[in-house]
Amino acid sequence: DARVTQTPRHKVTEMGQEVTMRCQPILGHNTVFWYRQTMMQGLELLAYFRNRAPLDDSGMPKDRFSAEMPDATLATLKIQPSEPRDSAVYFCASGLVPGNSGSPDTQYFGPGTRLTVL
Amino acid sequence: AQSVAQPEDQVNVAEGNPLTVKCTYSVSGNPYLFWYVQYPNRGLQFLLKYITGDNLVKGSYGFEAEFNKSQTSFHLKKPSALVSDSALYFCAVRPRSGGYNKLIFGAGTRLAVHP
């Protein structure tokens, strides 16, 4: 049963500290998404990768957030320095878009990382 | 601007009764349409999607959704609700053009099924 995995599941840190969240997409998937979920804003798309290339990070605060895919099996989201307003649940999702087809893939979500910044 | 509306924050249903969770969208063209469900402390789970063809789409756990092009709606339905269906439900759309796989999510509707 293939699943997206995320680590850590919970993270409590102090303001100003660096936070790194990791995601392992489903093997063979070629798209990766990072979302943030809060009560006030709902689900927000932070970043989107296709074939490991970043295609959209317009939803991400550029001064403190960064997202990378060092290889096809690992995506990272880093916050430096973290702030209390970053407290949220961060989800990673992966999908498969075949070739240049416009057919939509289905995004499969990981369990999320619950981040609390004190 | 492209948007998805879920007009009800919460829907309350008695177990065994039919349920409907509403979704309307404002997206140019004929977008792809999705429903996801989120259980407490879990990630979103895919329920069903509409690409083309029959307006009634069947998905997981007995759920189905009806696409109505004239009303730009994609309501989620189930003939007989279970207490275990209680969760947060998200409607999402993806424009067909643009070459980008970005989903636009609604704010979510909390479904509460009472015994």
Side-chain angles (χ1 to χ4, degrees), chain B:
Chain B
Q2 299 175 331
S3 63
V4 177
Q6 294 182 243
E8 302 150 316
D9 290 339
Q10 178 152 331
V11 171
N12 296 297
V13 179
E15 187 175 30
N17 283 1
L19 69 87
T20 298
V21 182
K22 296 179 181 177
C23 172
T24 59
Y25 58 90
S26 176
V27 176
S28 59
N30 295 318
Y32 303 112
L33 304 163
F34 299 79
W35 275 101
Y36 283 83
V37 60
Q38 185 178 27
Y39 296 100
N41 300 313
R42 303 283 295 276
L44 277 69
Q45 294 180 34
F46 168 75
L47 272 181
L48 50 81
K49 65 183 175 185
Y50 173 81
I51 299 176
T52 188
D54 288 341
N55 291 342
L56 188 64
V57 180
K58 294 189 183 299
S60 306
Y61 312 122
F63 282 93
E64 56 191 25
E66 187 169 13
F67 168 59
N68 187 316
K69 183 176 180 179
S70 62
Q71 297 185 1
T72 61
S73 66
F74 190 54
H75 300 332
L76 182 70
K77 300 181 179 184
K78 187 172 182 181
S80 179
L82 300 173
V83 173
S84 58
D85 293 329
S86 299
L88 188 57
Y89 289 81
F90 290 93
C91 179
V93 303
R94 191 214 131 183
R96 287 182 188 260
S97 61
Y100 184 144
N101 205 40
K102 180 176 181 177
L103 285 179
I104 303 166
F105 282 92
T109 297
R110 189 165 299 281
L111 174 66
V113 182
H114 305 284

Side-chain angles (χ1 to χ4, degrees), chain A:
Chain A
D1 186 20
R3 298 186 183 196
V4 175
T5 58
Q6 291 186 246
T7 57
R9 292 293 311 277
H10 302 273
K11 177 72 175 179
V12 180
T13 190
E14 294 187 345
M15 182 173 62
Q17 296 298 305
E18 177 178 302
V19 175
T20 299
M21 291 169 273
R22 293 176 174 81
C23 167
Q24 182 173 15
I26 293 173
L27 188 65
H29 280 188
N30 60 359
T31 59
V32 171
F33 302 80
W34 282 104
Y35 291 92
R36 176 169 62 184
Q37 187 179 36
T38 61
M39 288 292 293
M40 295 300 296
Q41 300 296 328
L43 270 169
E44 302 173 275
L45 178 67
L46 297 177
Y48 166 51
F49 291 79
R50 183 168 174 171
N51 296 323
R52 293 179 55 201
L55 293 192
D56 186 355
D57 60 1
S58 59
M60 207 162 61
K62 300 294 190 300
D63 56 337
R64 299 183 300 108
F65 284 61
S66 61
E68 295 180 348
M69 278 202 75
D71 59 61
T73 65
L74 176 65
T76 63
L77 180 66
K78 188 176 296 185
I79 308 174
Q80 169 61 23
S82 58
E83 297 181 1
R85 59 179 168 153
D86 300 329
S87 298
V89 181
Y90 290 82
F91 289 106
C92 174
S94 72
L96 175 64
V97 176
N100 292 321
S101 169
S103 178
D105 64 338
T106 296
Q107 293 183 25
Y108 294 90
F109 283 73
T113 294
R114 183 176 294 277
L115 174 65
T116 302
V117 183
L118 303 174

